[in-house]
Amino acid sequence: GAVVSQHPSRVICKSGTSVKIECRSLDFQATTMFWYRQFPKKSLMLMATSNEGSKATYEQGVEKDKFLINHASLTLSTLTVTSAHPEDSSFYICSARDFGGGVGEQFFGPGTRLTVL
Amino acid sequence: QQPVQSPQAVILREGEDAVINCSSSKALYSVHWYRQKHGEAPVFLMILLKGGEQKGHEKISASFNEKKQQSSLYLTASQLSYSGTYFCGTEITSGSRLTFGEGTQLTVNP
């Protein structure tokens, strides 16, 4: 299957700092990427849809000024958690759909575990 | 709207079978199935498009009944490696975003 990479895999930061997470589709182009947040033993909560060359679409309740998304190319989307606080600690996962085969399988990156002290 | 998965959890002995169901209140274009192991990201298993198809992936297969707006994942002769949380993701129209169920935690014991 297609490969989506995510970096870093783990980050620990102090409260008030900003953290940038990168998501790359390695062997296909993705005009759309998705950012999810997952709490322990919970489902995947869609935060926003990242659109190449245009503004991201945020889900209700997600602060766009806090979670900045940039989709500068067809293979890279970034999520920046600005002024992170302990409540932002979570597992963040990106994904992209590969429509090369026609059906649009959605593949996930390995995730980033963010811990804000 | 979030699809409903059942059961929430199931415990099996190696070699036993299991069925996980995913139901939607809306008509679906496709259903996607994933398995997630603890601390890892979900791994894509298969996608089923409307048309009542059934797919197989080793000893894991799935069906999609678009009239009933539901999909079922079948795990036969389960192996220890099948343990994890299974999520279904539903798509209303082609290219629309996926909405995931709450997940079904599957534990396979020796």
Side-chain angles (χ1 to χ4, degrees), chain B residues 9-110:
Chain B
V10 58
I11 299 174
L12 302 174
R13 286 203 177 276
E14 212 172 353
E16 292 181 337
D17 302 341
V19 180
I20 299 172
N21 299 302
C22 174
S23 297
S24 172
S25 60
K26 293 187 175 182
L28 300 174
Y29 174 76
S30 71
V31 179
H32 303 224
W33 284 98
Y34 295 82
R35 176 173 58 215
Q36 183 178 30
K37 292 190 179 284
H38 181 68
E40 300 177 9
V43 172
F44 174 79
L45 294 177
M46 64 189 78
I47 178 175
L48 298 103
L49 303 176
K50 69 177 181 179
E53 65 175 8
Q54 185 156 353
K55 274 195 173 180
H57 180 78
E58 295 181 345
K59 293 179 181 177
I60 301 175
S61 61
S63 63
F64 177 26
N65 187 322
E66 61 184 279
K67 280 187 178 179
K68 292 185 178 180
Q69 296 172 183
Q70 68 182 39
S71 176
S72 295
L73 186 71
Y74 306 94
L75 301 105
T76 58
S78 60
Q79 304 168 15
L80 297 177
S81 61
Y82 287 2
S83 292
T85 301
Y86 289 78
F87 291 99
C88 68
T90 55
E91 183 181 22
I92 304 298
T93 57
S94 176
S96 63
R97 64 186 182 93
L98 297 184
T99 303
F100 290 91
E102 287 291 331
T104 296
Q105 188 171 350
L106 178 76
T107 304
V108 181
N109 293 319

Side-chain angles (χ1 to χ4, degrees), chain A residues 37-40 86-92 112-116:
Chain A
R37 183 173 181 176
Q38 188 177 36
F39 293 101
E87 58 266 29
D88 297 324
S89 298
S90 192
F91 191 46
Y92 293 87
T112 297
R113 188 159 302 283
L114 171 64
T115 303
V116 186

